[in-house]
Every structure is written in C-alpha cells, then in structure tokens.
Amino acid sequence: MKCEFTVIPAVDIRGGRCVRLFQGLPGEETVFSEDPLGAAERWQSEGASYLHVVDLDGAFEGRPVNNELIVEIAGRLSIPVEVGGGIRTAESARSYIDGGVDRVVMGTAAFEDPGMLSDMAGELGERLVVGVDVKDGRVAVAGWTETGVQGPLEAVEMLASAGVRRVIYTDTSKDGTLKGPNLAAIEQIARACRVPLIASGGVGELEDIARVSSMGALGIEGIIVGMALYKRKFTLAEAQLAARERSAG
C-alpha cells in the first residue's frame, strides 16, 4: 500500500495565538506567533499542500473553542485544512465540515463512543481522521491528560473495523521535543494498520523525515511537523525534498 508522502505543517492554537507545547503539557508552551492565520498563510506561501490545525483550548476543554478562527483559516487558504482538538460530538464535526474544513480529527470521542464513531465514519468517509495519541503505551484521551485502556495496535484494528479511513499516530513523549520520532513504534503500527497512517511527534532534523518517508510502502502517507519548522531547523522546501528523495529511493 504505497502512499504519496506529504509533509504537513502544524498550526496549534491556544488563547488565539500560534503555539507549540512540549509533550502536550499545558505549562510547557512556546508562543511562535500572535497571528495563527498569518502562520497558516506562511506555510501555504512556502509550498505546503496540506495544513494540520489543532484547537488546543478545545482539546483541554472538550469542545471547540477557536472554531471561528479555524473556519476563517480554512476559508482564506487555497490548500485543504484538517482540524483536531475538542471535536467530541457529531455536531461539532459537521460544523467544521460545513465551515469549509477538509477533514476533522477525532480523538477522545472515538474511543469513548464507538457507536458515534461508526456513524461518523459512515457519514464522513475520507473526511474523518482519528488520532491515536499514545502515552505510556496506552491511547491518551482528554487532551492527553488521561490514558485509556487500549494499546495502539488494538486501537488501529478497532478503528479500521469501525470504518475509519485514516489514522494519525503520535507518541506524546516525543511531541515537541525535537529528539526524533519513535521510528520503531511508527513501523509497528503501520504494519498493523489497515488504513493510511500519518505520523506525528518528535521531528527535529531532515533525516527524521527521510526515515519516515522511506516507510511509504507500509501505508504511511505523511508526517506532521511543527516545532522544527517554527525553530527553523530546516525549511518546508528542504523537508519536502528530503521526503521526495527518500521516497524515490
């Protein structure tokens, strides 16, 4: 299942600002811009073909908080936008789709309400993504503040059986650290996952992107990059070139 590999910049919104968190911890915040829309437009201008937006306030509060700003971002860009954070009802998912967002990313609700998950998978199809965020070997929920009972391999099997078409995997211990992705876990989960997988968390150098993109034959179709781009460890164009060269190889 070879996938075309995409480097996806992230715009995380908290308090109306563009920020990044260390390991998802609310108290470990770095502000990179007071203007999330401007940050989104920057990634588009630098050649992004897709954008990942997170409503961090929504993730912590369990409901969309920055939804008006996110819908504005989706409306202003010509590239598609996916959004996660606080999407725990069918109504909030539909609201984003109706507002012009390309895909919605569910996390907590997908694991707490299997009936709704199946219904949403049937209704939204490719426009629904589920985040498998792993903390201490278990799927994290409630804005990564709690862990559930499922392990990641069990989770991806359940999601595929429910009709979910795409999964984002994040090792929360790596997120925002710049210390490299959990490559072994990414490979293990990709082999177990019956649908396309997007990796996230820990990218710190171009070789990290190259290594993940080399797993495209396992169904990995992209990687989400945040901190490394904001800290200018490399440019988006350099990241895209690293991905293309390793994928081609």
Side-chain angles (χ1 to χ4, degrees):
M1 183 173 60
K2 179 72 172 179
C3 297
E4 182 177 350
F5 193 89
T6 306
V7 178
I8 307 173
V11 174
D12 291 2
I13 303 172
R14 188 181 186 199
R17 302 182 295 181
C18 179
V19 309
R20 294 297 294 169
L21 302 183
F22 179 82
Q23 297 180 337
L25 299 171
E28 298 285 346
E29 175 185 282
T30 303
V31 178
F32 285 102
S33 173
E34 298 290 335
D35 179 17
L37 174 58
E41 290 176 329
R42 169 192 168 188
W43 298 130
Q44 176 176 271
S45 70
E46 292 189 13
S49 60
Y50 210 94
L51 190 71
H52 179 79
V53 179
V54 180
D55 181 354
L56 288 173
D57 296 300
F60 294 132
E61 294 191 25
R63 61 178 181 84
V65 174
N66 295 291
N67 45 320
E68 291 184 5
L69 173 56
I70 292 167
V71 167
E72 181 183 3
I73 290 171
R76 290 280 288 274
L77 299 189
S78 60
I79 61 173
V81 173
E82 68 183 12
V83 59
I87 303 173
R88 300 185 190 174
T89 67
E91 291 73 23
S92 59
R94 293 187 191 107
S95 177
Y96 273 124
I97 296 297
D98 291 343
V101 168
D102 185 58
R103 296 194 301 229
V104 291
V105 184
M106 280 190 164
T108 301
F111 299 100
E112 295 185 346
D113 192 340
M116 184 191 71
L117 174 65
S118 295
D119 290 345
M120 294 307 296
E123 177 182 341
L124 297 181
E126 291 282 346
R127 306 191 77 172
L128 174 68
V129 185
V130 174
V132 176
D133 307 317
V134 179
K135 183 177 183 179
D136 299 327
R138 298 292 176 183
V139 174
V141 295
W144 298 1
T145 61
E146 302 173 13
T147 52
V149 297
Q150 287 184 315
L153 300 185
E154 178 187 1
V156 296
E157 176 58 34
M158 180 275 289
L159 295 173
S161 297
V164 172
R165 309 278 187 88
R166 180 173 284 101
V167 169
I168 295 174
Y169 163 74
T170 305
D171 180 338
T172 66
S173 71
K174 294 285 191 177
D175 198 60
T177 66
L178 301 173
K179 294 183 178 179
N182 187 337
L183 295 171
I186 291 170
E187 180 176 354
Q188 183 183 39
I189 291 168
R191 290 186 182 279
C193 193
R194 293 187 278 127
V195 299
L197 181 76
I198 297 171
S200 176
V203 171
E205 57 185 51
L206 291 173
E207 184 60 20
D208 296 331
I209 293 171
R211 287 173 178 170
V212 175
S213 69
S214 71
M215 301 181 198
L218 300 179
I220 300 176
E221 65 174 19
I223 191 162
I224 295 168
V225 185
M227 190 75 84
L229 286 172
Y230 287 100
K231 288 203 167 185
R232 303 182 186 276
K233 297 293 184 180
F234 46 76
T235 67
L236 178 57
E238 289 170 337
Q240 292 169 330
L241 179 60
R244 285 196 302 270
E245 288 180 340
R246 188 62 62 92
S247 296

